[in-house]
Amino acid sequence: MKKSKKWQILNSQMVINHPWCQVRQDEIELPNGKIIDDYFVYLKPEIALILPITSNQEIVFVRQYRHAVGEFFMELPAGNFNPKQETAATAAQRELLEETGYLAENLRAIATLYDKPSKDTNQIHLFLAENVVKTSQQNLDITEDIEIVLVPKNQIIQKIQQGEISVAGTVAALFLGLNLLVSGE
């Protein structure tokens, strides 16, 4: 079996260093000796994403505009966090409450996934919360205009197949979280 080798960083510099966007340009040497002088890496914050399910077996989604592609998307509540300032679980609870007004008393970690490891540095921390309860109003950031959408659990696969739910992290959390519930783990 062939032993793969890591790429070697020969030089690295920040080309964008803004609080909302950080991009590093690396000069790298590939294992075959080739040099690439313009490999760009996006330094992104960690993401906490939560799969909230009500006692009526409805999943709490947020529907919001995503400017990069100019469309509205139905997603699970999620947000950025700094692991030096809060845990992924604390961030998930905070984001759920801020974006939806729902409270998660108990969270269960589902998985930690890499978002896009070819170019991005961050991970997505997935959580499951059962029997979430609406306890307050939304507390949104200036860039957020979020509609709450409750979807019965038994309609999720159909909505994914029809393209109504199409954000990768959300789809991963749905499959992994609902599989946990079915398997009884």
Side-chain angles (χ1 to χ4, degrees):
M1 175 190 265
K2 180 181 172 185
K3 176 89 170 153
S4 296
K5 296 179 183 175
K6 290 185 175 185
W7 297 0
Q8 297 301 310
I9 298 174
L10 303 175
N11 188 27
S12 187
Q13 65 179 343
M14 292 296 286
V15 292
I16 299 175
N17 194 5
H18 185 277
W20 292 100
C21 181
Q22 295 180 315
V23 180
R24 186 181 77 215
Q25 181 179 359
D26 292 344
E27 177 183 7
I28 55 174
E29 181 179 349
L30 301 176
N32 64 10
K34 301 264 189 220
I35 305 291
I36 298 176
D37 63 0
D38 60 352
Y39 196 89
F40 294 94
V41 176
Y42 302 90
L43 306 170
K44 295 171 81 176
E46 299 293 294
I47 297 171
L49 186 147
I50 186 166
L51 168 53
I53 304 175
T54 69
S55 60
N56 292 334
Q57 299 304 297
E58 294 174 312
I59 297 176
V60 181
F61 284 91
V62 294
R63 184 177 180 275
Q64 57 190 325
Y65 177 76
R66 293 305 195 182
H67 181 69
V69 293
E71 296 292 336
F72 287 88
F73 288 90
M74 203 159 61
E75 306 170 69
L76 293 174
N80 299 336
F81 74 98
N82 181 339
K84 293 178 182 174
Q85 297 174 346
E86 67 182 331
T87 66
T90 301
Q93 290 174 326
R94 175 182 50 75
E95 286 292 335
L96 177 64
L97 191 58
E98 287 175 1
E99 292 186 358
T100 68
Y102 279 80
L103 181 63
E105 297 229 353
N106 295 310
L107 289 179
R108 184 168 16 158
I110 300 173
T112 298
L113 308 174
Y114 281 91
D115 191 10
K116 184 181 170 193
S118 62
K119 292 287 186 178
D120 297 347
T121 60
N122 68 320
Q123 294 179 315
I124 304 174
H125 304 268
L126 309 176
F127 293 91
L128 171 66
E130 296 179 85
N131 302 316
V132 298
V133 178
K134 177 92 170 163
T135 62
S136 64
Q137 297 301 311
Q138 294 169 299
N139 182 18
L140 303 175
D141 295 336
I142 192 169
T143 60
E144 294 176 318
D145 182 16
I146 294 175
E147 172 190 357
I148 307 304
V149 179
L150 300 177
V151 177
K153 194 169 66 172
N154 63 2
Q155 293 180 13
I156 295 303
I157 300 298
Q158 177 185 1
K159 290 195 177 295
I160 293 170
Q161 290 171 333
Q162 293 173 342
E164 292 179 55
I165 299 170
S166 60
V167 177
T170 289
V171 172
L174 289 166
F175 276 102
L176 293 169
L178 295 176
N179 184 58
L180 274 177
L181 294 174
V182 169
S183 67
E185 289 181 28

